[in-house]
Amino acid sequence: MSSIGSGREPFWRALLQGRSGISEVAAFDTSAFRTHRGGEIRGFSPLPWLSEAEAASMGRGGQLAVAAAGLALADAGLPSGPGAEDSDTGVCIGTTMGEIQVMEEAARRWNEGGLAAVRPEDFRRYPSGTIGRGIAARFGCAGPVSVVPTACAAGNYAIGIGADWIRGGRAVRVLAGGVDPMSLLAFAGFLGLRSMASERVRPFDRERRGMMVAEGAGVVVLEPLEAALARGATPYAEVLALGLACDAHHMTQPHPEGAGAAAAMRQALDLAACDPGAVDHVSAHGTGTPANDRAESAAILSVFGERGPRVPVTSLKGALGHTMGAASALEAIAACLTVADGLVPPTVGYEVPDPDCPLDVVCGEPRPGLYRRVLSNAFAFGGHDSALLLGAVA
Amino acid sequence: MSGPAPRRAWIAGRAVAHPRALTAEALLDAARAPIPAGGGPLRLPAPDLSVLGERGLRHIDRATALLLVALEGLVPPLLAGVPRDRIGLVFGTAAGGLGSIVGFARDAVSPDPLASNPGQFQGTVLNAPLGRAMIRHGLVGPTATFSTGVTAAADALAYALDAVESGRLDHAVTGGFDGLEDAAIAGAEAAGLARADGPPLAEAVVGLVLSATPSPAPGPRIRIAAVGTACSPRGGPGASARAAAWARRRAGWGTTPVDLAVALGPDAAAALEGCGPAREHLEAGMGLGEALGADAALAVLVAVGWLERRGGPSRSVALVDGCGLGAAIALEIA
């Protein structure tokens, strides 16, 4: 579920075409701000996936997550209608702010009439746990259900944890991914931090000015290889490892040398016993802020050494904006498709190389190749750094 | 020929801040001493921020303050001789730093959103409390926050257990926390977690150090053997029964009775009914209240108190059930 298309085929086609989903924000009034653009999913209706009553019991985050989970199940060739309880299937969903639109509505009511003016249904719909439970309720998932609010790295966390559940025997199948709806709070917050661009996102470009707030949801179906093959499915990629580290530096600024980012990438490679030389592509966090892209470049060069400037790197945030908790889930989906289809999507907005980011940034056209090992980076507030290593199916 | 012994996760330290108890032993006693239904929320005294010094305390909310103060007793002793990438913080919370979230949201939706303080924005993400803690202690290893409602701390314990047993961490400081801001109280009441005839709401922080080696301190050595979680997709009680069955299998206990089953959460009674054979049941909610994201960690610490008092080889299962979610944590003195 993204601003450039929803469902595997429309999403992937738009990425390969280098389309941008950035447009004037319609979800809220931006007249007080100097920036008016973001990445919204236009025309979304939850009704193909939820009854009106079910949809009304959720926030937009839960609705988007249910839709993404339904699309993932259908793409995997699994039933996506309401089904019987399945204790083998779990749900692991990441988010940055959860049902933040519900919180924003509650905050308006609070400002106008005090705490007593906040509707009980807003309190019921706000907690992040409702997103995971909403997916479980819709698709009958009776295995483990977790919500992992690790901000902009949350999708990576959820996919890595979901894979751990399968390896550890806690679940046979996991719906894993991330979600965040468009947020006025995030808009105001990132503007206050002077992290936002005004017109477009230009990851790793010398003229980059910042990120853009966006919304989205991405969900993958994780299964053991044997189980997928046994039912005739064609897996896209294998989850090899999730590397995690912390900058322990600043709540909102990356370590200037990308220390935590490099540590996360190295940990993923170590856990998978994968030599850096075997990595064919890096799907970057690439927010388009001067500090993040500079730090991530330093981290990539540190991990890959002399080969660093030649590893193909792309960032989807030029096309999608920053979808927060959904970002790394959507990026993992794209990375899986890169492995499966042999194409790296271009970095929308990248035009002028930056000497501070001496990377091989894929731009203009998709780049064909054999991509058997892909690292997908995601970094978050709190210095939470993650790197998901995906591989071709052996 | 046998290979190396599998790594286990021992409880090598703990801290609790609960309105009725500040030790595992006192927590057990409080769990056994119900308080009258219908009372107001159980809140802790204002946290003593002086123990934190002055660094990094701007824009701090109540839940974050409670967590940081509790961690002061747990993390620094681990730092001697252990690389800082081998210590992780893994916690569950239902609402995170809700005070920060509400405060910034109210500013952002006001007629003058530009007047909102950008310094408060960092507190609006649910992992902010742990981010602050990682920075405070200079920890550079894995960290994770879970926010799945009443089973949030069980998710954290499961992740921490796996991280220690797999060798990714030497020490995982794990548990659960939630503060009772006004909005949290109103939210819990709206969600049906504060019934007039049920346990009061309670704020709590529980931290457990899971380590690959047991504490050298004298006393029973307690380990976490397994953590199971499950969901009832249509809501209602009973998910903990499947979680307990899984945890028993994983621990290799089969249907052997455990010595104590202790339960918290809105559907604790159902949890005790469905958890399998146990020699003693303890429904702890009327003694400890409904502690939201800290529930599972509180239940574990009650079990720890019970196992320590009993001594000798013994087993316990700590349960949480509510809001369609269930968890079971298997503990034992081998």
Side-chain angles (χ1 to χ4, degrees):
Chain A
M1 303 296 300
S2 80
S3 60
I4 59 169
S6 296
R8 176 178 55 84
E9 180 59 31
F11 173 67
W12 187 228
R13 188 171 59 243
L15 281 179
L16 295 178
Q17 290 171 345
R19 284 176 44 203
S20 168
I22 303 300
S23 60
E24 297 291 310
V25 171
F28 47 81
D29 179 10
T30 64
S31 57
F33 304 119
R34 64 173 172 79
T35 300
H36 310 285
R37 292 163 67 78
E40 288 180 305
I41 301 170
R42 296 295 171 85
F44 168 68
S45 167
L47 296 184
W49 304 102
L50 297 161
S51 69
E52 287 192 16
E54 288 169 334
S57 71
M58 296 179 174
R60 186 174 171 90
Q63 295 171 0
L64 289 170
V66 165
L71 289 168
L73 285 165
D75 189 55
L78 292 163
S80 56
E85 288 192 10
D86 174 8
S87 58
D88 288 335
T89 299
V91 177
C92 193
I93 290 293
T95 185
T96 293
M97 293 178 173
E99 296 290 12
I100 195 64
Q101 290 188 359
V102 176
M103 170 59 76
E104 290 164 4
E105 178 57 28
R108 279 187 200 95
R109 291 176 183 275
W110 194 336
N111 284 350
E112 289 164 7
L115 179 57
V118 179
R119 300 174 302 184
E121 59 262 40
D122 289 336
F123 286 120
R124 285 194 290 271
R125 293 189 305 164
Y126 169 66
S128 299
T130 61
I131 298 173
R133 292 208 310 273
I135 296 172
R138 176 59 178 76
F139 300 109
C141 308
V145 171
S146 280
V147 174
V148 195
T150 42
C152 304
N156 268 0
Y157 269 77
I159 293 170
I161 291 168
D164 284 346
W165 288 356
I166 289 174
R167 293 190 182 102
R170 291 186 66 194
V172 174
R173 182 178 297 130
V174 178
L175 299 173
V179 63
D180 263 294
M182 195 67 183
S183 165
L184 169 58
L185 187 153
F187 209 85
F190 282 110
L191 267 174
L193 293 178
R194 303 181 184 279
S195 298
M196 277 174 65
S198 56
E199 290 296 320
R200 59 183 179 138
V201 186
R202 306 183 67 177
F204 299 109
D205 188 284
R206 195 179 65 193
E207 304 301 323
R208 67 188 182 279
R209 291 292 181 266
M211 47 80 76
M212 279 192 167
V213 174
E215 66 180 350
V219 172
V220 297
V221 176
L222 301 174
E223 290 180 295
L225 178 62
E226 317 80 62
L229 295 177
R231 62 179 186 80
T234 304
Y236 294 108
E238 179 181 1
V239 180
L240 296 174
L242 173 67
L244 298 177
C246 185
D247 277 344
H249 169 69
H250 190 276
M251 280 297 288
T252 59
Q253 290 294 314
H255 187 283
E257 292 158 21
M265 285 188 269
R266 288 195 179 98
Q267 190 189 62
L269 295 170
D270 288 347
L271 289 170
C274 176
D275 187 89
V279 174
D280 303 306
H281 164 50
V282 174
S283 172
H285 187 53
T287 57
T289 66
N292 175 83
D293 292 0
R294 194 164 49 237
E296 186 170 12
S297 298
I300 290 171
L301 295 174
S302 160
V303 170
F304 293 100
E306 287 185 0
R307 187 171 158 262
R310 300 192 304 278
V311 178
V313 173
T314 197
S315 166
L316 304 192
K317 292 186 176 71
L320 300 172
H322 195 335
T323 56
M324 308 291 152
S328 50
L330 293 168
E331 286 153 8
I333 290 170
C336 288
L337 294 169
T338 289
V339 170
D341 291 0
L343 290 168
V344 173
T347 303
V348 173
Y350 181 81
E351 293 164 5
V352 185
D354 181 354
D356 285 347
C357 306
L359 303 174
D360 177 12
V361 180
V362 177
C363 60
E365 298 291 327
R367 186 177 300 177
L370 183 63
Y371 303 102
R372 296 190 57 79
R373 297 281 186 278
V374 176
L375 264 177
S376 188
N377 290 340
F379 315 129
F381 272 17
H384 290 42
D385 299 308
S386 71
L388 186 69
L389 183 63
L390 299 162
V393 176
Chain B
M1 205 168 82
S2 60
R7 281 170 65 104
R8 293 184 162 185
W10 303 90
I11 296 176
R14 72 281 185 106
V16 57
H18 182 277
R20 297 192 70 202
L22 297 174
T23 66
E25 193 168 39
L27 204 65
L28 173 62
D29 293 336
R32 285 172 158 162
I35 52 180
L42 301 175
R43 299 186 85 210
L44 286 156
D48 177 11
L49 298 181
S50 68
V51 303
L52 302 176
E54 295 182 355
R55 183 173 160 232
L57 294 181
R58 291 171 64 201
H59 313 306
I60 195 168
D61 54 74
R62 182 175 178 86
T64 304
L66 290 170
L67 175 70
L68 292 182
V69 169
L71 290 178
E72 283 303 295
L74 286 179
V75 177
L78 300 175
L79 298 177
V82 177
R84 295 190 181 212
D85 64 348
R86 302 292 300 167
I87 303 168
L89 302 182
V90 187
F91 275 77
T93 176
L98 187 62
S100 294
I101 299 168
V102 169
F104 193 84
R106 292 185 63 195
D107 287 345
V109 302
S110 72
D112 184 13
L114 295 177
S116 56
N117 184 339
Q120 292 182 322
F121 179 48
Q122 65 188 31
T124 62
V125 291
L126 285 160
N127 63 325
L130 283 195
R132 282 182 183 268
M134 293 291 284
I135 292 169
R136 177 169 183 78
H137 296 289
L139 300 178
V140 295
T143 177
T145 302
F146 293 86
S147 186
T148 325
V150 294
T151 55
D155 289 338
L157 286 159
Y159 183 88
L161 175 66
D162 186 53
V164 171
E165 287 187 340
S166 69
R168 277 178 283 170
L169 289 174
D170 292 332
H171 304 286
V173 183
T174 182
F177 69 97
D178 265 308
L180 285 184
E181 317 271 0
D182 289 347
I185 294 169
E189 288 172 347
L193 292 172
R195 298 188 298 256
D197 61 343
L201 294 171
E203 62 184 356
V205 183
V206 178
L208 299 160
V209 179
L210 293 192
S211 297
T213 52
S215 165
R221 294 176 170 184
I222 300 173
R223 77 179 187 102
I224 292 188
V227 180
T229 59
C231 177
S232 291
R234 291 175 183 80
S240 62
R242 276 181 284 109
W246 189 91
R248 281 173 177 273
R249 278 199 307 277
R250 182 54 178 259
W253 295 354
T255 54
T256 307
V258 298
D259 299 290
L260 172 74
V262 54
L264 273 169
D267 295 315
L272 293 174
E273 272 179 35
C275 72
R279 295 191 176 90
E280 183 177 334
H281 282 178
L282 176 54
E283 187 176 339
M286 290 311 297
L288 301 180
E290 172 49 59
L292 309 175
D295 267 354
L298 272 179
V300 166
L301 207 49
V302 170
V304 166
W306 190 94
L307 290 169
E308 286 180 341
R309 193 173 289 178
R310 184 177 191 271
S314 46
R315 291 171 175 168
S316 176
V317 60
L319 305 152
V320 171
D321 204 307
C323 307
L325 298 165
I329 299 101
L331 304 97
E332 71 177 353
I333 301 176

